Amino acid sequence: MTDTTNQRPVSTTGDDAATLPTTYTPADVEGELYERWVERGYFTADAKSDKPPFTIVIPPPNVTGSLHLGHAFEHTLIDALVRRKRMQGYEALWQPGMDHAGIATQNVVERELAKEGKSRHDLGREAFVERVWKWKAESGGQISGQMRRLGDGVDWSRERFTMDEGLSQAVQTIFKKLFDDELIYRAERIINWCPRCLTAISDIEVEYQDDDGELVSIRYGEGENAIVVATTRAETMLGDTAVAVHPEDERYRHLVGTEIELPLTGRRIPIVADAHVDPEFGTGAVKVTPAHDPNDFEIGQRHNLPNIAVMDEHAVITVHGPFLGLDRLEARSAIVAALRAEGRIVAEKRPYVHSVGHCSRCKTTIEPRLSMQWWVKVGPLAKAAGDAVRDGRVKIHPQEMEKRYFDWVDNLHDWCISRQLWWGHRIPVWYGPNGEVVCVGPDEQPPAGEGWHQDTDVLDTWFSSGLWPFSTLGWPEQTESLAKFYPNSVLVTGYDILFFWVARMMMFGLYAMDGTPPFHTIALHGMVRDQNGKKMSKSFGNVVNPLDWMDKYGSDALRFTLARGANPGVDVPIGEDWVQAARNFANKIWNATRFALMNGATVEGPLPAPQELTASDRWILSRLGSTVAEVDGLYEDYQFSKLSEALYHFAWDEVFDWYVELSKTTLAKGGPQADAARRVLGEVLDVTLRLLHPIVPFVTETLWTTLTGAESVVIADWPTDSGFRDAAAEAEIATLQQVVTEVRRFRTDQGLKPGQRVPAALELDGTALAAHEDAIRSLLRLTAPEEGFAATASLPVAGATVSLDLSGTIDVAAERKRLAKDLAAAEKEKAQTTGKLGNEAFLAKAPDEVVAKIRTRLEAAEADIARITAQLAALPQG
């Protein structure tokens, strides 16, 4: 009825439980289990295998990094997918590796040098790069050990680094190919510049935050021809080359084409008409500084304006005059003071809160700067990346994220790929003494001779990580691994880098691999937040080190918590109490399995025929088949939260709280039905542990191998739906659950202790519950009525009646008051629903489904009234 293949079962007895400690201590098993899995090669992918491939790359963490909660979240989801596919018979490859993280790593090593009173310039480029490699060998990559703690099933034999020899060859190869295809060029454009790191940085490395600044309105020109502009960056006015207005703005139409004097400089600049200007914002006139603002640069290009740079790479003023040598912030104050002295400040607003970009590495305010850089012409590459999603070759999940993807790739600007660093892939271009420019491929010798030199810049880190899905498999060589494992099956990553890493992998994969996209599916998840939904930040004091929670509660508990919160594309709030609850779940799995082993649960031999099983046996096997089918469907839809919930409620509620408890009665009776229950119990636990394994690998490995005697659940078969369903058994047990739940609620209302035994008479004749009397009494702590039994309360439930003698245990007055309150609520509900259903105007307008719901509410209210009235009548008088 449920598959039992590839288990190598042995008989299990109570002796097996003796090998398990009475309590589960994660620290005692996790490290040892993980190293055993690695040593046995369970995670090693074989390119020669005839199994179908399943490939996922790890989004390469920075070599400077450590495992944060976002990593733990993403890795948990990926590991669950890979473990399940491995169990399903796929040749599963989870490709690990790290990113060289150009700016971050260079900053780390520069800080180390600073402690010695040195800078990288003291060492020189070659020695500095050697120092970085030494740092990587000694201190980099601590995240690898933390990944082991989490249980990541990656193929460590294939671990790659974006600066290793093979990947460096891939970088040089694709740069040369793009260069030869005229898709890489060098040009002077506006870029994000960090005056502290002294390099261009990518958009993703800019963090925006609200800063207190000042907004000053400045009068340019005199009299009727004067025009007022507002700016938060007065220091850049020294580089203004125009004032722009909207072409349809009647206020300034007479000024378009004239010139106006730029204050403090003596230069005259034109007034131009440009549709980019918003006539409703401010005065409707803007200063144009093409060398220091990306929008102004575009205006300047359209109107052939000169580009005047007024700051150097340190953001220090370079224009001769009274402001020469001032830092940009010093210059801002000095220029505003000078303008005020001339009477040109029309208005000032401070503080003026506005969004300002900062370097994500050093927090320095970014300076837009005109600079000669290398660029990728992304037009044809971005079109291919968009087409691959539009024509269905690549699926984005959840689908609603497609719009964000298209908004990005359809409007992508050319990509600045050069960085003014020493750590990274050096741009493979040489310049000759007579202006020659030569791009050198990996198998070519660079030009030699006097006057030849290599470009000093390195490539943006995203350039090499964009090649990750195929460079890690040996490209440009046509390796067995590349043939077997490319393209990737799915990419699991955060929606926050959809525009950066994902788009670049799509562009490069389609370009380098003859139109084959790098993955079939892009599964996007949200960001981890604190339990109040607030972004985790050191400044907020709410950052959590996942290692702390793993130390305290175990890796399985953290993994289950993260998976349980993972709805596609939605942010995930997480709190410590949720991890503690997941730890309790792991303990529940442990204790229930230990009980089963102590009572002889077995996986040996076939399951008994349905007619040899009790209703509870058939019920749990029916629910087991449904759960396997449900979990499979949710995995295929990347619904980690829903599948975790399904597993949690099936395991805890149905298996542990109901079936295990029901089986105790059967086991106590002995005989053939007890033997059948032991086999069913073994089957259900076997399949449940296998279903749970991808998310909680450690506790399930320990329990499953003890239960089955097989080698490892890591290489066991993934359960398949047996197809067995028994609607009658499910209905029968649902009725039993209704009775037990109602009587338990009654006991609680009366303040009875959970273990307190109460004499009761059960009227079950003529119902399916008759066969379950022993179980009902056991579950409800009800003893058989003895001589002199007198019922003081009677509960009619689901066609049966439970009469209890609560003499000396029940507060009759309190119970009558409680029931009277419930009866009043039920009668109010009946009156409201009856009124609506008697309202012809309402019935004429209301949708059918609304009317049907109200009728259902009325029926429920009438049933409650009948039940409560009977309970009141059964109470002792007085």
Side-chain angles (χ1 to χ4, degrees):
M1 296 194 299
T2 310
D3 72 323
T4 55
T5 55
N6 196 34
Q7 294 180 44
R8 291 167 44 193
V10 297
S11 264
T12 52
T13 67
D15 293 339
D16 296 296
T19 67
L20 296 173
T22 54
T23 58
Y24 176 53
T25 307
D28 292 344
V29 301
E30 290 180 349
E32 180 182 343
L33 282 182
Y34 187 84
E35 293 309 318
R36 185 188 307 163
W37 292 335
V38 173
E39 290 167 6
R40 291 180 177 178
Y42 294 158
F43 306 146
T44 304
D46 181 5
K48 299 180 184 296
S49 167
D50 57 4
K51 296 178 182 178
F54 181 81
T55 316
I56 293 183
V57 294
I58 192 172
N62 288 353
V63 68
T64 59
S66 60
L67 190 75
H68 58 63
L69 209 52
H71 286 130
F73 173 55
E74 187 167 80
H75 289 202
T76 294
L77 305 187
I78 297 174
D79 196 39
L81 290 176
V82 174
R83 285 177 181 270
R84 172 174 174 263
K85 285 296 183 181
R86 187 178 292 117
M87 294 171 75
Q88 286 183 312
Y90 286 79
E91 193 61 38
L93 168 61
W94 185 9
Q95 173 71 60
M98 288 183 292
D99 191 283
H100 65 277
I103 296 177
T105 305
Q106 180 157 317
N107 282 348
V108 167
V109 178
E110 285 196 89
R111 284 196 294 269
E112 292 297 315
L113 283 174
K115 295 175 184 177
E116 303 169 16
K118 298 178 182 177
S119 73
R120 60 184 164 116
H121 300 285
D122 294 323
L123 272 65
R125 183 169 193 143
E126 186 174 341
F128 176 76
V129 171
E130 288 180 4
R131 179 70 176 257
V132 179
W133 279 109
K134 181 181 178 183
W135 173 87
K136 176 190 179 292
E138 295 174 352
S139 307
Q142 63 173 317
I143 201 169
S144 297
Q146 295 165 345
M147 287 166 59
R148 285 175 146 84
R149 283 287 313 277
L150 189 63
D152 287 0
V154 299
D155 185 349
W156 290 110
S157 69
R158 293 173 175 269
E159 186 175 12
R160 303 303 298 268
F161 179 56
T162 51
M163 285 283 286
D164 68 26
E165 184 176 352
L167 270 64
S168 295
Q169 183 183 27
V171 168
Q172 195 171 354
T173 299
I174 201 163
F175 187 100
K176 170 71 172 174
K177 179 174 170 60
L178 289 163
F179 183 90
D180 290 346
D181 289 345
E182 298 183 348
L183 292 173
I184 279 184
Y185 64 95
R186 194 167 183 247
E188 193 174 42
R189 298 273 185 86
I190 291 282
I191 45 88
N192 300 311
W193 181 264
C194 176
R196 185 260 170 221
C197 297
L198 298 179
T199 181
I201 64 174
S202 68
D203 290 340
I204 199 173
E205 291 163 324
V206 179
E207 293 180 348
Y208 288 89
Q209 65 185 49
D210 288 341
D211 285 0
D212 287 343
E214 61 179 346
L215 180 68
V216 293
S217 297
I218 309 168
R219 176 172 52 81
Y220 287 17
E222 304 293 343
E224 294 181 355
N225 292 335
I227 196 165
V228 175
V229 300
T231 181
T232 58
R233 304 177 68 225
E235 69 278 10
T236 64
M237 69 162 291
L238 300 176
D240 287 359
T241 56
V243 171
V245 297
H246 193 276
E248 297 179 4
D249 193 333
E250 294 291 341
R251 294 172 295 175
Y252 304 117
R253 182 168 289 180
H254 67 289
L255 295 177
V256 174
T258 66
E259 289 187 341
I260 199 167
E261 183 172 315
L262 179 65
L264 306 182
T265 67
R267 283 194 293 112
R268 296 189 67 79
I269 59 176
I271 298 176
V272 300
D274 195 279
H276 172 76
V277 179
D278 180 1
E280 302 298 324
F281 182 77
T283 63
V286 297
K287 58 191 287 298
V288 181
T289 320
H292 292 279
D293 183 276
N295 293 321
D296 291 4
F297 179 79
E298 297 296 332
I299 294 175
Q301 292 289 294
R302 288 192 288 271
H303 297 279
N304 296 313
L305 299 175
N307 302 316
I308 300 177
V310 298
M311 283 179 260
D312 64 13
E313 66 270 23
H314 297 281
V316 170
I317 300 298
T318 57
V319 177
H320 287 287
F323 313 111
L324 178 66
L326 294 181
D327 170 83
R328 56 184 166 168
L329 298 182
E330 296 172 333
R332 182 177 303 170
S333 298
I335 288 170
V336 170
L339 290 168
R340 189 183 298 112
E342 290 190 3
R344 293 195 172 276
I345 300 297
V346 176
E348 297 180 69
K349 184 178 181 180
R350 64 168 68 89
Y352 178 73
V353 179
H354 62 133
S355 181
V356 178
H358 296 258
C359 175
S360 63
R361 305 300 177 190
C362 69
K363 311 308 176 187
T364 301
T365 300
I366 290 301
E367 186 64 42
R369 183 169 186 256
L370 189 64
S371 179
M372 182 66 74
Q373 302 284 345
W374 284 95
W375 303 81
V376 171
K377 187 184 297 182
V378 300
L381 302 176
K383 182 182 183 303
D387 290 346
V389 174
R390 287 189 169 94
D391 63 25
R393 281 175 289 158
V394 178
K395 305 288 186 184
I396 293 180
H397 189 279
Q399 190 174 3
E400 54 265 27
M401 287 286 182
E402 281 187 2
K403 183 181 184 302
R404 297 177 68 174
Y405 177 79
F406 292 136
D407 286 346
W408 179 256
V409 297
D410 293 347
N411 299 285
L412 200 58
H413 296 295
D414 285 0
W415 170 20
C416 176
I417 56 172
S418 47
R419 299 290 180 266
Q420 290 65 55
L421 304 171
W422 287 357
W423 173 245
H425 296 102
R426 188 101 172 252
I427 288 177
V429 171
W430 271 255
Y431 304 103
N434 299 313
E436 301 95 333
V437 178
V438 177
C439 180
V440 177
D443 299 322
E444 301 171 351
Q445 290 295 321
E450 186 176 350
W452 284 93
H453 64 279
Q454 186 176 0
D455 195 299
T456 57
D457 289 351
V458 300
L459 286 164
D460 177 12
T461 297
W462 295 102
F463 191 94
S464 52
S465 61
L467 314 181
W468 193 248
F470 52 94
S471 64
T472 52
L473 298 172
W475 187 90
E477 300 297 324
Q478 298 304 306
T479 63
E480 282 186 321
S481 292
L482 189 64
K484 177 74 174 179
F485 296 114
Y486 187 90
N488 281 207
S489 307
V490 60
L491 173 74
V492 178
T493 192
Y495 64 70
D496 59 322
I497 56 173
L498 173 64
F499 318 129
F500 303 100
W501 187 46
V502 178
R504 282 152 173 70
M505 286 190 290
M506 286 285 284
M507 290 191 297
F508 280 166
L510 290 160
Y511 174 73
M513 300 300 292
D514 299 321
T516 302
F519 18 74
H520 298 303
T521 300
I522 302 168
L524 298 170
H525 59 72
M527 303 295 101
V528 177
R529 296 181 177 270
D530 72 12
Q531 59 188 0
N532 299 313
K534 193 173 183 179
K535 180 181 178 181
M536 288 192 174
S537 166
K538 290 180 181 177
S539 60
F540 296 153
N542 61 351
V543 173
V544 173
N545 183 345
L547 295 175
D548 292 341
W549 281 351
M550 285 192 280
D551 289 342
K552 193 170 183 180
Y553 302 110
S555 299
D556 285 332
L558 177 63
R559 288 172 61 114
F560 190 78
T561 302
L562 293 167
R564 199 175 181 185
N567 287 301
V570 179
D571 288 348
V572 183
I574 183 173
E576 184 170 1
D577 54 339
W578 302 337
V579 187
Q580 184 174 357
R583 189 272 312 274
N584 295 342
F585 180 47
N587 288 342
K588 187 78 170 181
I589 301 169
W590 183 273
N591 294 333
T593 306
R594 194 169 183 276
F595 163 82
L597 290 170
M598 291 176 66
N599 285 274
T602 182
V603 296
E604 185 175 14
L607 282 168
Q611 60 270 24
E612 299 174 20
L613 300 175
T614 65
S616 59
D617 292 334
R618 297 194 306 276
W619 163 72
I620 198 63
L621 290 173
S622 180
R623 290 295 306 125
L624 180 65
S626 296
T627 300
V628 171
E630 181 183 9
V631 169
D632 270 334
L634 293 170
Y635 259 117
E636 294 304 316
D637 199 34
Y638 306 100
Q639 297 281 357
F640 295 98
S641 178
K642 290 181 179 179
L643 72 89
S644 299
E645 283 293 315
L647 287 169
Y648 177 88
H649 289 296
F650 174 71
W652 192 308
D653 299 345
E654 298 186 282
V655 178
F656 305 148
D657 276 358
W658 285 104
Y659 182 68
V660 169
E661 292 302 315
L662 289 169
S663 69
K664 290 179 180 178
T665 304
T666 307
L667 293 171
K669 290 180 178 178
Q673 284 195 334
D675 291 338
R678 291 185 182 94
R679 179 64 188 89
V680 171
L681 191 55
E683 177 76 5
V684 171
L685 287 172
D686 162 31
V687 175
T688 301
L689 291 171
R690 282 188 279 153
L691 288 173
L692 285 165
H693 171 72
I695 298 176
V696 286
F698 295 107
V699 68
T700 52
E701 171 78 338
T702 305
L703 295 173
W704 188 85
T705 51
T706 305
L707 172 69
T708 66
E711 181 181 342
S712 173
V713 70
V714 177
I715 55 172
D717 284 346
W718 179 252
T720 56
D721 178 11
S722 65
F724 177 76
R725 302 291 188 274
D726 192 323
E730 291 200 35
E732 185 172 325
I733 299 304
T735 302
L736 181 150
Q737 290 172 326
Q738 184 181 352
V739 171
V740 171
T741 300
E742 183 64 27
V743 177
R744 280 177 173 168
R745 185 176 74 87
F746 175 79
R747 289 177 57 110
T748 301
D749 290 343
Q750 296 308 306
L752 298 179
K753 296 178 181 177
Q756 186 174 349
R757 297 193 173 276
V758 177
L762 306 183
E763 297 177 26
L764 308 175
D765 291 345
T767 74
L769 298 176
H772 300 284
E773 179 169 352
D774 290 345
I776 292 172
R777 288 189 178 279
S778 175
L779 290 167
L780 291 172
R781 303 295 191 269
L782 302 178
T783 60
E786 298 179 354
E787 187 176 350
F789 171 83
T792 60
S794 183
L795 284 78
V797 186
T801 302
V802 180
S803 301
L804 302 94
D805 180 0
L806 301 176
S807 302
T809 64
I810 182 172
D811 184 337
V812 176
E815 176 61 6
R816 191 177 298 281
K817 184 177 180 181
R818 181 188 72 81
L819 289 173
K821 183 179 178 181
D822 290 350
L823 181 60
E827 288 174 338
K828 181 179 179 181
E829 173 73 355
K830 179 182 177 181
Q832 288 177 341
T833 52
T834 301
K836 286 187 177 181
L837 293 174
N839 185 333
E840 294 297 333
F842 170 77
L843 294 176
K845 294 179 180 179
D848 291 345
E849 59 268 23
V850 172
V851 175
K853 286 182 179 179
I854 293 174
R855 286 202 171 98
T856 301
R857 285 170 52 194
L858 174 59
E859 292 170 2
E862 289 174 336
D864 285 344
I865 290 170
R867 173 179 57 81
I868 297 167
T869 301
Q871 288 178 260
L872 280 166
L875 286 175
Q877 298 301 311

